[in-house]
Amino acid sequence: MLSSRAIRVWTWLHKWTSLICTLFMLLLCLTGLPLIFHHEIGHLLGDEIEAPELPAAMDKQRVSLDVMARAANAQHPQMVIQYAGENEEDPRLWWFTLGPTPEPTENYKSVAVDARTGQVVREYRVGEGFMDLMFRLHVDMFAGLPGKLFLGLMGLLLLIALVSGVVLYAPFMRKLDFGAVRKDRSTRVKWLDLHNLLGIVTLVWCFVVGATGMINTWAELLVQYWQYDKVSALLAPYKDQPVLTAAERGPLQATLDTAMKHGDHRKVSFVAFPGTSFSSPHHNTFFLKGTTPLTSKLLQPLLIDAKTAELTAAPELPWYLTGLLVSQPLHFGDYGGMPMKIIWALLDIATIVVLGSGLYLWLRKPQGARKGAKGTKTAPAGAADALDDAKDPETAAA
């Protein structure tokens, strides 16, 4: 049984972590819902790019990576190719990201090229449309890295709110049958019971999605640390060398062939070209993926010398990057097909109800429960007035 002091501490934690993060969690749940079905919605909106139909004899052929790169670069000859990779939904297409310089920038273009013919199919609508709006709001609220880290902090507050909510409500819920909603009580009590029920049902999911979302906000920092801690030592011989110009580089296809030779039957996830944040000034860095639902999210980097097409290094990803890569599909539920997406969507909707009902219960908390009785020490208000719950559920708050 919790002591009065422990209840006050847990109550304070639950109240303030819940109040601070609720509106941001509602934003993330609302924007995350369409992102679960981003491919399906993209098809409906006409944003998804599909490979044109060709005769069966041509469907298996592939042109060289150099041909595809030249076609993409011809669309924006004033830009340089930063990244390229196979389309996850359709391997007949490759995408190429181009920017003014190799360094990351908001001003970039993305072009889809048919791997069978080497012809440009269409440009992606970068920064346009409904799904891009949802994605940017969900990832960083249009605030870049500071926005990501801020949302990561909100995710941490959510995890604290979940743990403290379980600690405070567990004793009270033992007094009722699981799933009981007291329909004969006031509207507020019925919402309290529904809030508790949905909170318990979605608890594990909320914790998993909240934790993986928080980890994802650290992606840029984790990659930078990996480059500083591990990759920099491997690239010491190339330190301070200028970025290889296009004329100085050898054939792209030769570097792809080297990657495939050492890739242990893996597929290309993406390629980072010299000077970009995922590579070095002297290498084409291939990130290869497995062919199963799980291994397709685990990447193996191969640093291929862009001039000689020789393998320089094949570093193993450290545990923190492996954890990051595993957390990304788990966050959106996109590794188990449509059934998993539907389950994720239903749990997302239930979480929206939990967050909304928690806010409603706080706003509708009786004035006396907020301020405490006259002449007594004011009790902390919030979702966890556990002592009041034990005495009279009518005074409980979300």
Side-chain angles (χ1 to χ4, degrees):
M1 190 71 175
L2 292 175
S3 66
S4 297
R5 179 179 177 82
I7 288 176
R8 284 195 295 270
V9 172
W10 283 108
T11 297
W12 185 90
L13 278 175
H14 189 73
K15 180 181 81 169
W16 288 110
T17 54
S18 299
L19 289 177
I20 292 171
C21 77
T22 291
L23 291 179
F24 296 100
M25 289 301 108
L26 277 171
L27 170 68
L28 294 178
C29 286
L30 290 170
T31 55
L33 188 58
L35 290 175
I36 296 173
F37 303 101
H38 65 283
H39 288 302
E40 292 77 11
I41 294 175
H43 281 295
L44 290 175
L45 298 178
D47 294 334
E48 292 291 308
I49 299 178
E50 298 181 355
E53 294 300 323
L54 295 178
M58 299 178 60
D59 208 46
K60 298 295 183 181
Q61 71 180 23
R62 295 291 184 268
V63 299
S64 73
L65 186 55
D66 299 85
V67 172
M68 291 190 285
R70 284 195 293 270
N73 217 162
Q75 294 292 110
H76 300 280
Q78 75 281 9
M79 293 185 168
V80 297
I81 298 177
Q82 298 172 324
Y83 303 99
E86 277 189 357
N87 185 298
E88 288 188 5
E89 298 296 311
D90 189 348
R92 297 174 299 177
L93 295 176
W94 272 62
W95 54 264
F96 290 80
T97 298
L98 304 96
T101 64
E103 289 79 19
T105 175
E106 294 294 328
N107 179 28
Y108 68 94
K109 304 292 183 181
S110 190
V111 179
V113 179
D114 193 324
R116 302 163 299 176
T117 63
Q119 297 179 349
V120 172
V121 178
R122 203 178 86 190
E123 285 196 28
Y124 292 92
R125 295 172 57 191
V126 176
E128 301 178 19
F130 171 75
M131 293 308 297
D132 184 80
L133 173 63
M134 293 296 100
F135 180 77
R136 290 298 305 275
L137 285 173
H138 191 85
V139 170
D140 61 10
M141 300 187 301
F142 292 93
L145 181 59
K148 293 178 182 178
L149 297 179
F150 176 80
L151 290 177
L153 175 61
M154 294 301 103
L156 176 61
L157 294 181
L158 171 66
L159 300 183
I160 297 173
L162 291 173
V163 172
S164 57
V166 171
V167 171
L168 289 164
Y169 276 119
F172 169 62
M173 292 306 295
R174 284 199 292 266
K175 300 175 182 293
L176 297 173
D177 294 332
F178 179 78
V181 177
R182 292 164 290 179
K183 298 180 181 179
D184 57 332
R185 305 299 290 271
S186 68
T187 300
R188 189 172 177 283
V189 169
K190 286 185 285 189
W191 271 109
L192 172 64
D193 289 343
L194 184 62
H195 175 84
N196 290 338
L197 172 61
L198 291 178
I200 292 299
V201 170
T202 61
L203 175 66
V204 174
W205 182 83
C206 283
F207 199 92
V208 169
V209 172
T212 54
M214 181 178 66
I215 293 171
N216 287 336
T217 64
W218 304 336
E220 288 185 43
L221 298 180
L222 291 176
V223 170
Q224 290 174 6
Y225 177 74
W226 171 63
Q227 291 175 319
Y228 170 79
D229 183 50
K230 303 294 184 184
V231 179
S232 59
L234 298 172
L235 299 177
Y238 304 92
K239 186 178 180 181
D240 299 326
Q241 290 189 12
V243 177
L244 289 179
T245 65
E248 294 174 316
R249 302 175 195 177
L252 289 176
Q253 185 62 40
T255 61
L256 174 59
D257 292 340
T258 300
M260 291 295 95
K261 178 181 177 181
H262 295 86
D264 193 26
H265 307 292
R266 293 172 177 253
K267 298 170 61 178
V268 175
S269 177
F270 72 95
V271 188
F273 291 96
T276 58
S277 58
F278 285 87
S279 191
S280 81
H282 210 277
H283 291 81
N284 294 329
T285 303
F286 287 79
F287 289 82
L288 306 185
K289 61 183 179 180
T291 56
T292 66
L294 177 60
T295 59
S296 65
K297 309 300 180 181
L298 300 177
L299 303 183
Q300 168 64 61
L302 297 176
L303 282 75
I304 312 296
D305 191 301
K307 182 183 291 186
T308 65
E310 295 179 354
L311 176 67
T312 298
E316 291 291 332
L317 285 183
W319 64 268
Y320 50 86
L321 284 187
T322 299
L324 172 66
L325 293 171
V326 171
S327 72
Q328 289 174 340
L330 190 59
H331 184 71
F332 287 107
D334 62 356
Y335 62 90
M338 184 55 68
M340 181 67 77
K341 291 184 178 183
I342 292 174
I343 292 173
W344 246 236
L346 293 174
L347 290 168
D348 187 288
I349 294 170
T351 302
I352 292 173
V353 175
V354 172
L355 293 169
S357 61
L359 190 59
Y360 162 80
L361 289 166
W362 164 249
L363 293 174
R364 291 294 302 273
K365 186 177 179 69
Q367 194 69 17
R370 285 179 186 243
K371 295 183 177 180
K374 184 178 180 180
T376 62
K377 186 176 180 179
T378 300
D385 230 333
L387 289 175
D388 286 343
D389 287 351
K391 296 174 183 177
D392 182 4
E394 289 280 3
T395 66

